[in-house]
Structure formats: structure tokens, C-alpha cells
């Protein structure tokens, strides 16, 4: 078999280390450089197994390995003096060089040596292809030592294995990382994150776990100890909770500062920092020594996106006492995480202070809504639909969902909690699960599915547990569903114990990626992330959070923008939720402006990024305008986040913060008039506008009916009475899902139901 088609067929004679070749020219004499594949050979060493896939990260999703990602550098032959001894060049041409190289690549010992030096099958082929191009390039003159070696191989029958040292040196230029592969694996070792925090490891910490459901007083007791200490830090899951702890601590006479990703507030001023700090968990400094630390909602360790922050806080907070508040499901995992450190956990268990009951009846109709009800759904569109239907019944509800600014959420919560305000019904997403104090009598689940899957029981308990608040007029809580048929499913969900957390989030640090980059100086940041994820090792207790995937998306957007590594990394971890082209464009514009060295000023942001002709903007007249204002708020929030890290380049923090406050108030008005926005959607007086309004109404109805239908499908194909006569459609839906035997049983059950009815 020829490995160099179009040149010559080489037949090897002899044994041992010497080689002799007979050449027979083929049809074409042009030299072609082709990748070489290995021949079947019983003595050939099997390639190394692929690197282990990492769960929940881009490499796992794309199936890429290190060898698939690393980029080969171009190495050109040196321009040397061509006046060499004819004894070494005579009879040596591109064809003879190529044939010798092909024989070299076929040697099993060469493949084995290459693998031992970090050149797996794919990298070997790439490196050999480059080496071959280097040796047979037109008008190229090889360095004397390599030329002499080729002369000895071709003219004196020396072994082609002598080329290995030259090949290896060339491969190290093509793939610089192979000289540092062991170091790269050590840098990307994520199996022992407790060793990343030297300050915490100098302390024998006391770990106290306050375990209990919502409304059990666990966080209250932990914060009490926080305020009693000489110094302390509170780590909350949300800005709202950090602000609440900050305000309450200062009201009780203990000076406390606050830091979130977008804001810093001081009890006195920046020159006189307080001994107590309230922060979001991501903003915890692992070098700050305190007496007491409180980490709230510790079960967030399992969160796919933010779990890394709780893992970091648990292992890295430098406190004498660490108070953890959360679900009992996290106790065993916390013990496993701190076991290598030699620390132990003291557990205090709490019971719910007020009873929580599951109703025997579903709501069934919106005209049965009562004061104190909170209707929970998992889609903003469904929120709009339910709100509109309540308005038709004369009920003006409060509305809360994740995209609302904190001020708007607090405003809606205050209206709902105010007994003198006619707004006594709430429509919300799962955003009410934590962060807001709400006087809820009854939680009504509009649906129990999210993205066509049943919500997990820990989420249902978190949301349902908001019903009934100790010390209010609604001390006894009730949980129900909209559909009567879903009551049984709700009981099943809430009746199961929350399974213990088995795996927690982790994320590489900037220091790890920076050190990684030293060995791959030519790699882009996107490639660096891919390579890091591909080669890193993770123990069974951890998974890499989806923040790495989001970071990579940002890195792709600004891949061609010239930024230092630290700045690029910081931009790529900003909290912007990129869902549309407008926010992507704003992000890229800010990065480009930063790269040019020009200040990101208030005027530039308003004119170029925000595209606002007037400020504050007008009250929204349609839902589309409201959503556009929410996007603008998020863009300004991103500016504020970046300005705290690059104050010299973003000097107008105060002006932008004022603008954000003004925008928050405009959005609040828009949310309060949300039903009017429905009515005004596309209402310009034309027939086309009226048609669009009808279509919007139909769409709202379709969303609600779709939710209802989805719920029916999840309930193990239960057949409520209103679906009488739907026997054929149910069977059609079941085909492809159930086995033939199960279909037969279902047909019999449907027939029986029809007979009974």
C-alpha cells in the first residue's frame, strides 16, 4: 500500500535497523503532502483512551477532547545558505525526502515514543504533516544536521528512526504545550478545591448547620449570632436579601456595610469600613478574616449556574464560626466537602413555625381567588395571561417575575402586603421562592411542569413553603393547584423526602486560567477555556457550572477585541443575561470602547449603547416597550458591575446609578398598568391593529390552554371528566410512548370509562 500517492511506491528490503528501498515512479511525479495513517499491526501500541468527559460543560456537550481543540503553530524552514557540499545534496530531492518521512511515520516505535511525549494519535498526525511540509517545502534549505541525517538514511541505509529527535523538536514548536502537559494537568486539577484557600486553612473552623424548611427561624438565629460577634459577614443568594440584612443590622445598632456585584454601601463611609458586612455570596472575599460568617441557602450548592459560589464560600470563608442555613438535604454533602480539611459539622434542626396544608380542592376557576392568594407559574407569558383574566373579574393583582428590577419587585411586594391596598392577590414566577417577605395565605400552582418536566420537590417545597407566615394574619399556609386533577400530583411531589445532594458546582478560578495561558501563549481565550475544560479533572462530588458555558459565549462575542487577559476574563463573567441581539451588541460595544482606551461615559452610554433620545424614557405603552425597558435596566446594571472593577475607565457610576433608579420607577409604573399594556398592544386605531389585538388575546388563551394540556399529559394520562370523548386523541398521543401491552391496557381503561359515563 502506498502512503504517498502520486510520487513513488517504496518496497522495503532487509531486516533489523538498515533499510533499502526500490523506487518505481507512478503516473504523477508531483509531490503531495498527505496525513499519514497507521497500518494495522499487531505490535502497534493502542492509542491512549480519550480524556474523561466532564459533566455539564461545553467539552461534554460538544464531545471535544484536548487534541481536537489545540491549534498547531506554523513553523517555517529557516533561510540558510544554499552553498552546501554536493556530497550531502546530490540525489536528495523532495520525492526521496517524502518517502523517507512516510517510512518514519509508519514505524510503531515512532508512534509509541510520540505518545510517551504527549503526542496522541491526532496530534501526531498534525505534527507529522507540519514536519513533512517543513522538510519538503519548495526552495527550503534544511539545517545541516537534519540534511546530513537524511543523507545517511537515503544514501547509506541508516535507520529512519534517527529522524525522531528532529521530529520531536519540531513538534514542540508546533504544539508548545507538550513540554508542559504535566503542568497543565496539575493546573487544571479541580479535585481538591479546599486547597485553593490558604487563609481559611490556617483556621480550625467551627461549622454549624441550621437545617430546616422555610419559615422555621433558622436564618433568624444565625443572623442573631452574626450581630453578636465582634466581626462578621453575611452571604446571601440575592441582592434583596443582602440589602435586607444590611438595613436590619444597622437598625439594630450594629454598623454594617453592604457589597453586591453592582453596589457598595457603607454605614459611615469608605474610609471607615464597618466590622460587619452583608454581601451576595459571589462577592465574598476569602482573604477577609472574621469571627462569624453566615452562608444562607446552602442547598444552592447544587445549582447548575451558581453552585460554584456556595462551594467557594463553604470551603474558603476565613471565619472562626461558619453558620450554614438551608435544607437538611445538604448536610451529608457538607460533611463530605469538609472531611479532607478535618472539620466537623454541628447540626441544629428546626421545625416550621406555622402549619402548611395541602388543599383537597384545586382552584378550578379564577373567580374563586381569595385575598392572600399567590398564583405561581413558570412563564412570563402565562403571567400576562392570568393577570389579564383576573382584571376581567375586577381583581388587580401584584406581579413579580425575575426580570423586574429590585425596586419594582419590592414595590409590588409592598402593595401585596399592605392590608389597606386593594391589591391583595399576587401573580408570580418562582422568583418568590426566596428574597422577598410576603404575607401569603395560599400558594396556587398554575402548573406543575417546567419545560415539559415536573418541577423537583425541593423547588415545590421552597415555593409552597411561602404560604403562611409566622406572626401575620396568614399564619396557617395552604398549598393547592389550579386544576383539580393536579392535586394528587402535588401531594406526591410534596410528600416525597428531598433527596440528599450528591454533586455540587465548581468553576475554575482566574488564577488557574491565567497560569494555564502561560503554556499556551498563542491560544485565544475561547480556545483556552475549551482546552482547560477538556484536560481538567473533577472528582465525583463536583460538576463544572454552566457559567463556563456562558463565559465562553461572551468570549466568542469579543474574540477579535484586543483586551488583556484579566480584562477579558472580567468582561466574560459579567452578569448580563444575553438573550437577544440588542444586549449582545451593547456588550460588544462596551468591550470595543474599553479596548480603544476611551472612557465609557454617561453620554456615550446613552447615545451609543442605549440609543435613548430622552431620559428618563416615557412610560411604556405596550408589553414590548416594557420588555425593552427591562433590557435597558440590565445593560445599565452591567455597566455598574463593570464600573466597580474598572472605575478609571467607567467614571460615571453615580450618574448611571441615578439613571437606573429613574428607569426602575418607570418600569414600576409599567408593571402596575400591565393590563392596560395588553389593551394598548398594537392599538393604533387601524383594522390591522385591531386584528393584532385579537391575535394577542387568542395567543394568551392559547398559552393558558397549552399549560392546562401540558399538565394533563404529565399526570400519567389521567382522564378528567372534561376530556370525555377524547379517547382517540389520547391513544394517538400515547403511541410511541407506551408499549403495545400498555396501550392495550389503556384502551380497555378508556373503554371502561366511556361505558361508565
Amino acid at each position: 500500500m502506498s502512503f504517498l500517492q502520486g510520487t513513488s511506491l517504496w518496497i522495503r528490503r532487509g531486516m533489523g535497523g538498515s533499510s533499502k528501498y526500490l523506487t518505481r515512479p507512478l503516473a504523477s511525479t508531483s509531490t503531495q503532502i498527505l496525513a499519514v495513517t497507521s497500518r494495522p499491526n499487531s505490535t502497534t501500541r493502542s492509542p491512549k483512551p480519550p480524556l474523561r468527559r466532564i459533566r455539564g460543560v461545553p467539552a461534554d456537550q460538544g464531545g471535544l477532547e484536548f487534541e481536537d481543540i489545540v491549534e498547531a503553530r506554523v513553523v517555517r524552514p529557516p533561510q540558510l545558505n544554499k552553498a552546501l557540499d554536493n556530497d550531502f545534496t546530490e540525489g536528495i530531492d523532495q520525492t526521496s525526502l517524502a518517502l523517507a518521512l512516510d517510512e518514519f511515520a509508519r514505524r510503531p516505535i515512532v508512534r509509541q515514543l510520540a505518545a510517551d511525549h504527549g503526542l496522541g494519535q491526532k496530534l501526531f498526525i498534525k505534527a507529522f504533516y507540519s514536519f513533512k511540509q517543513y522538510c519538503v517545502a519548495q526552495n527550503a534549505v534544511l539545517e545541516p544536521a537534519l540534511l546530513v541525517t537524511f543523507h545517511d538514511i537515503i544514501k547509506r541505509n541508516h535507520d529512519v528512526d534517527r529522524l525522531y529527535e528532529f521530529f520531536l523538536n519540531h513538534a514542540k514548536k508546533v504544539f508548545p504545550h507538550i513540554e508542559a502537559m504535566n503542568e497543565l494537568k496539575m493546573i487544571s486539577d479541580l479535585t481538591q478545591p479546599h486547597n485553593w484557600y490558604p487563609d481559611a486553612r490556617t483556621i480550625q473552623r467551627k461549622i454549624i448547620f441550621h437545617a430546616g424548611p422555610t419559615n422555621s427561624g433558622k436564618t433568624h438565629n444565625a443572623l442573631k449570632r452574626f450581630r453578636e460577634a465582634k466581626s462578621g459577614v453575611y452571604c446571601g443568594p440575592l441582592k434583596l436579601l443582602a440589602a435586607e440584612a444590611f438595613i436590619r443590622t444597622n437598625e439594630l445598632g450594629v454598623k454594617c456595610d453592604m457589597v453586591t456585584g453592582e453596589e457598595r454601601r457603607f454605614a459611615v463611609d469608605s474610609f471607615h469600613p464597618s466590622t460587619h458586612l452583608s454581601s451576595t455570596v459571589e462577592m465574598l472575599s476569602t482573604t477577609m478574616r472574621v469571627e462569624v460568617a453566615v452562608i444562607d441557602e446552602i442547598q444552592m450548592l447544587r445549582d447548575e449556574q451558581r453552585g460554584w459560589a456556595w462551594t467557594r464560600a463553604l470551603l474558603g470563608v476565613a471565619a472562626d464560626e461558619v453558620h450554614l442555613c438551608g435544607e437538611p438535604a445538604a448536610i451529608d454533602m457538607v460533611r463530605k466537602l469538609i472531611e479532607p480539611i478535618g472539620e466537623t459539622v454541628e447540626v441544629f434542626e428546626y421545625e416550621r413555625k406555622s402549619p402548611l396544608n395541602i388543599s383537597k380542592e384545586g382552584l378550578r376557576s379564577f373567580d374563586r381567588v381569595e385575598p392572600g392568594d399567590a398564583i405561581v407559574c413558570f412563564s412570563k407569558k402565562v403571567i400576562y395571561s392570568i393577570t389579564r383574566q383576573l382584571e376581567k373579574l375586577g381583581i388587580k393583582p401584584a406581579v413579580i417575575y425575575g426580570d423586574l428590577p429590585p425596586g419594582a419587585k419590592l414595590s409590588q411586594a409592598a402593595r401585596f402586603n399592605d392590608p389597606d391596598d386593594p391589591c391583595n392577590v399576587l401573580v408570580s414566577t418562582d422568583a418568590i421562592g426566596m428574597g422577598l417577605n410576603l404575607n401569603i395565605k395560599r400558594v396556587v400552582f398554575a402548573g406543575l411542569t417546567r419545560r415539559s418536566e415536573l418541577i423537583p420537590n425541593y423547588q415545590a417545597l421552597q415555593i409552597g413553603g411561602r404560604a403562611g407566615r409566622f406572626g401575620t394574619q396568614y399564619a396557617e399556609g395552604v398549598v393547592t393547584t389550579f386544576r383539580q386533577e393536579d392535586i394528587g400530583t402535588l401531594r406526591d411531589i410534596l410528600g416525597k423526602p428531598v433527596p440528599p445532594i450528591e454533586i455540587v458546582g465548581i468553576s475554575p478560578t482566574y488564577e488557574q486560567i491565567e497560569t494555564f495561558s502561560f503554556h499556551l501563549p498563542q491560544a485565544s481565550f475561547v480556545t483556552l477555556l475549551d482546552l482547560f475544560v477538556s484536560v481538567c479533572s473533577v472528582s465525583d462530588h463536583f460538576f463544572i457550572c454552566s457559567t463556563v458555558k456562558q463565559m465562553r459565549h461572551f468570549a466568542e462575542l469579543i474574540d477579535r477585541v484586543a483586551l488583556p487577559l484579566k480584562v477579558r476574563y472580567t468582561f466574560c463573567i459579567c452578569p448580563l443575561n444575553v438573550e437577544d441581539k440588542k444586549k449582545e451588541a451593547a456588550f460588544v460595544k462596551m468591550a470595543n470602547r474599553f479596548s480603544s482606551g476611551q472612557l465609557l461615559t454617561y453620554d456615550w452610554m446613552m447615545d451609543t449603547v442605549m440609543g435613548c433620545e430622552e431620559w428618563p424614557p416615557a412610560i411604556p405603552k405596550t408589553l414590548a416597550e416594557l420588555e425593552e425597558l427591562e433590557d435597558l435596566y440590565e445593560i445599565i446594571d452591567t455597566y455598574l458591575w463593570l464600573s466597580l472593577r474598572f472605575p478609571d475607565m467607567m467614571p460615571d457610576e453615580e450618574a448611571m446609578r441615578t439613571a437606573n433608579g429613574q428607569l426602575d420607577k418607570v418600569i414600576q409604573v409599567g408593571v402596575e398598568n400591565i393590563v392596560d399594556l395588553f389593551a394598548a398592544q398594537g392599538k393604533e386605531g387601524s383594522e390591522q391593529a385591531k386584528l393584532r389585538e385579537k391575535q394577542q388575546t387568542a395567543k394568551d388563551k392559547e398559552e393558558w390552554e397549552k399549560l392546562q394540556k401540558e399538565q394533563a399529559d404529565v399526570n400519567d394520562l389521567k382522564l378528567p371528566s372534561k376530556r370525555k370523548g377524547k379517547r382517540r386523541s389520547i391513544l394517538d398521543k400515547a403511541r410511541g410512548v407506551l408499549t403495545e401491552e400498555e396501550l392495550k391496557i389503556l384502551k380497555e381503561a378508556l373503554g371502561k370509562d366511556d361505558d361508565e359515563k
Side-chain angles (χ1 to χ4, degrees), residues 38 56 97 170 184 298 421 433 467 496 508 543 691 719 755:
S38 61
L97 290 174
H170 181 88
L184 291 176
I298 188 64
D421 194 301
K496 295 177 181 178
F543 66 90
L691 176 62
L719 304 176
D755 293 340

Side-chain angles (χ1 to χ4, degrees), residues 388 679 681 683 689-697:
R388 190 169 191 179
Q681 187 78 15
K683 218 175 188 182
K690 292 178 181 178
L691 176 62
R692 284 200 302 268
E693 185 179 1
K694 290 179 180 178
Q695 290 173 339
Q696 180 64 44
T697 303

Side-chain angles (χ1 to χ4, degrees), residues 47-64:
K48 289 187 176 181
L51 295 171
R52 186 167 75 87
R53 304 298 189 198
I54 309 302
R55 176 182 171 186
V57 293
D60 179 61
Q61 296 168 5
L64 295 178

Side-chain angles (χ1 to χ4, degrees), residues 199-200 203 226 231-235 259 273-279 283-293 316-320:
D199 292 271
I203 311 168
F226 161 75
S231 61
V233 59
Y234 166 77
C235 302
V259 56
S274 303
T275 56
H276 289 68
L277 177 69
S278 179
S279 73
M283 296 303 294
L284 169 70
S285 169
T286 57
T287 61
M288 179 179 65
R289 178 70 183 269
V290 294
E291 182 182 352
V292 170
V317 65
D320 298 318

Side-chain angles (χ1 to χ4, degrees), residues 417-455:
N417 288 337
D418 187 354
D420 298 325
D421 194 301
C423 175
N424 52 25
V425 173
L426 174 65
V427 181
S428 173
T429 62
D430 57 341
I432 67 167
M434 62 177 70
L436 291 167
N437 290 320
L438 297 164
N439 300 333
I440 299 173
K441 176 183 178 182
R442 180 173 61 174
V443 168
V444 181
F445 283 96
L448 295 174
T449 60
R450 189 172 197 168
R451 301 183 185 94
S452 300
E453 293 184 1
L454 281 174
I455 58 175

Side-chain angles (χ1 to χ4, degrees), residues 206-494:
K206 182 179 180 181
I207 312 293
I208 301 170
F209 198 123
H210 302 267
T214 55
N215 200 16
S216 62
K218 57 185 184 297
T219 307
H220 172 81
N221 287 346
L223 284 173
K224 182 179 179 182
R225 178 68 187 101
F226 161 75
R227 296 177 184 120
E228 291 171 351
K230 295 179 181 178
S231 61
V233 59
Y234 166 77
C235 302
L238 300 170
K239 288 183 284 186
L240 289 173
L241 286 172
E244 181 182 330
F246 163 74
I247 294 170
R248 183 60 178 159
T249 301
N250 281 291
E251 288 176 348
L252 293 174
V254 179
K255 291 182 179 179
C256 180
D257 298 337
M258 184 186 81
V259 56
T260 67
E262 299 80 17
E263 186 178 14
R264 284 177 171 82
R265 295 168 67 180
F266 300 93
V268 182
D269 55 45
S270 59
F271 299 103
H272 300 85
S274 303
T275 56
H276 289 68
L277 177 69
S278 179
S279 73
T280 46
V281 67
E282 286 88 349
M283 296 303 294
L284 169 70
S285 169
T286 57
T287 61
M288 179 179 65
R289 178 70 183 269
V290 294
E291 182 182 352
V292 170
V294 176
I295 304 174
D296 205 359
E297 305 292 353
I298 188 64
Q299 73 276 358
M300 290 285 286
L301 286 162
R302 65 182 164 217
D303 188 77
E304 290 186 3
Q305 185 173 3
R306 300 175 64 203
W308 66 269
W310 274 263
T311 304
R312 172 179 173 272
L314 171 62
L315 298 176
V317 65
D320 298 318
E321 287 182 27
V322 181
H323 291 255
L324 311 175
C325 306
E327 297 175 7
I331 295 174
D332 290 343
M333 177 51 68
V334 168
R335 285 182 173 139
K336 290 178 183 177
L337 292 177
I338 65 174
E339 183 180 1
I341 309 170
E343 296 173 341
T344 58
V345 184
E346 184 179 2
V347 178
F348 291 91
E349 295 186 352
Y350 295 75
E351 297 294 333
R352 184 179 167 89
K353 288 188 173 183
S354 58
L356 180 66
N357 302 311
I358 302 176
S359 175
K360 295 181 180 179
E361 293 187 358
L363 189 65
R364 290 182 289 185
S365 174
F366 288 116
D367 56 14
R368 300 181 64 190
V369 167
E370 301 173 356
D373 279 353
I375 303 173
V376 178
C377 44
F378 300 100
S379 163
K380 192 193 294 187
K381 291 181 179 179
V382 177
I383 280 184
Y384 295 156
S385 175
I386 293 175
T387 302
R388 190 169 191 179
Q389 293 183 64
L390 290 174
E391 283 277 355
K392 291 178 180 178
L393 297 172
I395 302 170
K396 189 173 179 64
V399 176
I400 296 176
Y401 51 88
D403 290 340
L404 285 181
K409 290 178 183 174
L410 289 172
S411 172
Q412 292 294 299
R415 292 184 60 209
F416 175 72
N417 288 337
D418 187 354
D420 298 325
D421 194 301
C423 175
N424 52 25
V425 173
L426 174 65
V427 181
S428 173
T429 62
D430 57 341
I432 67 167
M434 62 177 70
L436 291 167
N437 290 320
L438 297 164
N439 300 333
I440 299 173
K441 176 183 178 182
R442 180 173 61 174
V443 168
V444 181
F445 283 96
L448 295 174
T449 60
R450 189 172 197 168
R451 301 183 185 94
S452 300
E453 293 184 1
L454 281 174
I455 58 175
N457 63 338
Y458 62 81
Q459 187 178 25
L461 286 166
Q462 181 84 23
I463 297 170
R466 306 298 287 176
R469 188 178 175 194
F470 183 73
T472 70
Q473 72 269 33
Y474 302 133
E476 184 172 340
V478 178
V479 185
T480 189
T481 60
F482 183 84
R483 287 163 41 90
Q484 180 65 35
E485 301 90 303
D486 293 337
I487 288 292
T489 305
L490 180 64
R491 286 185 178 276
D492 290 343
I493 293 174
L494 298 182

